[in-house]
Amino acid sequence: IIAFNAPNNFVYILDARTGKQRLEFRTSQATGSVALNGERVYVADNKGGLRAIDWTKKHFPLEEKIRAVRSNLYAMGLIGTFPIRKGSVWNVKRPNEPFLGTPAVADGMVYVTSASGKVFKVEESDGKPVWTFDAGAPTSETVSVTPHYVLVGDAKGRVHIIDANTGESKEQFEVDGPITSAPIVANDMIYVATGNGKLYAIK
């Protein structure tokens, strides 16, 4: 499949071989891209919504119009069950936490950052919260995840190394300039780019 979010606040899922649309899913405005893992697509939006979408589902002709009619019937109290949007697996809502960037998925968990400077870890299976880390300043839009640690930068030029299991800070160090992109871990090194035009390699 090919999955992407568009300015009209929809996630579109296409068949990679034919280009035909399989599924469309309405969200709120998202600043990052979607994350794809297994049979699910994850998207975070700036209204504090983090969604898991089952991309194996397919829309059929007139399906959305039928759902709109059923939604109106529910609003009028004529049916008892709200029609869930096709493909919806779970939806975590944090109204006061505008989510940023692209979710990170690793080891059965999903990580997302917010404009308030927090990092959230939820379970990939059902969106259940695991822990929240507060960096104390706006963070990079995406985190990097290793088997043991989560790394995120912030606007004060600090790189936070977080215990992936507990959400507790293990270490932090400072660089010159704000960090808006995720620190990169490779070959026993941490690479950090700052808004002051500097690139750091930290062993």
Side-chain angles (χ1 to χ4, degrees), residues 8-187:
N8 63 352
N9 299 340
F10 274 90
V11 171
Y12 291 98
I13 300 173
L14 313 180
D15 186 296
R17 293 173 297 175
T18 66
K20 291 183 178 180
Q21 182 174 308
R22 296 173 54 96
L23 185 68
E24 65 179 28
F25 197 97
R26 180 180 291 277
T27 67
S28 296
Q29 184 178 16
T31 58
S33 187
V34 301
L36 175 63
N37 190 52
E39 296 183 346
R40 293 184 181 179
V41 172
Y42 302 90
V43 60
D45 63 57
N46 63 11
K47 288 189 176 180
L50 174 63
R51 293 175 173 84
I53 305 166
D54 181 352
W55 63 259
T56 66
K57 304 297 183 182
K58 292 183 180 181
H59 269 146
F60 298 102
L62 301 179
E63 189 166 346
E64 277 301 301
K65 291 183 178 180
I66 293 172
R67 181 179 178 276
V69 170
R70 290 183 58 81
S71 296
N72 289 332
L73 292 175
Y74 174 82
M76 292 185 290
L78 299 178
I79 61 174
T81 304
F82 183 78
I84 301 299
R85 188 174 297 276
K86 176 169 275 191
S88 179
V89 180
W90 52 257
N91 181 14
V92 172
K93 292 184 179 180
R94 296 288 184 113
N96 298 320
E97 300 288 351
F99 290 143
L100 304 173
T102 305
V105 187
D107 299 322
M109 300 292 169
V110 182
Y111 303 84
V112 65
T113 63
S114 80
S116 68
K118 295 184 176 68
V119 178
F120 296 89
K121 175 183 178 179
V122 303
E123 293 187 6
E124 186 180 5
S125 59
D126 56 11
K128 181 180 179 180
V130 179
W131 53 250
T132 302
F133 173 83
D134 190 349
T139 63
S140 55
E141 292 190 355
T142 306
V143 302
S144 290
V145 185
T146 74
H148 303 291
Y149 302 106
V150 176
L151 289 84
V152 66
D154 70 26
K156 294 183 178 180
R158 298 173 298 185
V159 176
H160 301 269
I161 301 177
I162 309 163
D163 187 299
N165 291 322
T166 66
E168 297 178 355
S169 176
K170 300 298 291 185
E171 188 177 354
Q172 78 175 40
F173 52 86
E174 295 187 12
V175 295
D176 182 16
I179 304 167
T180 57
S181 59
I184 300 299
V185 181
N187 300 322

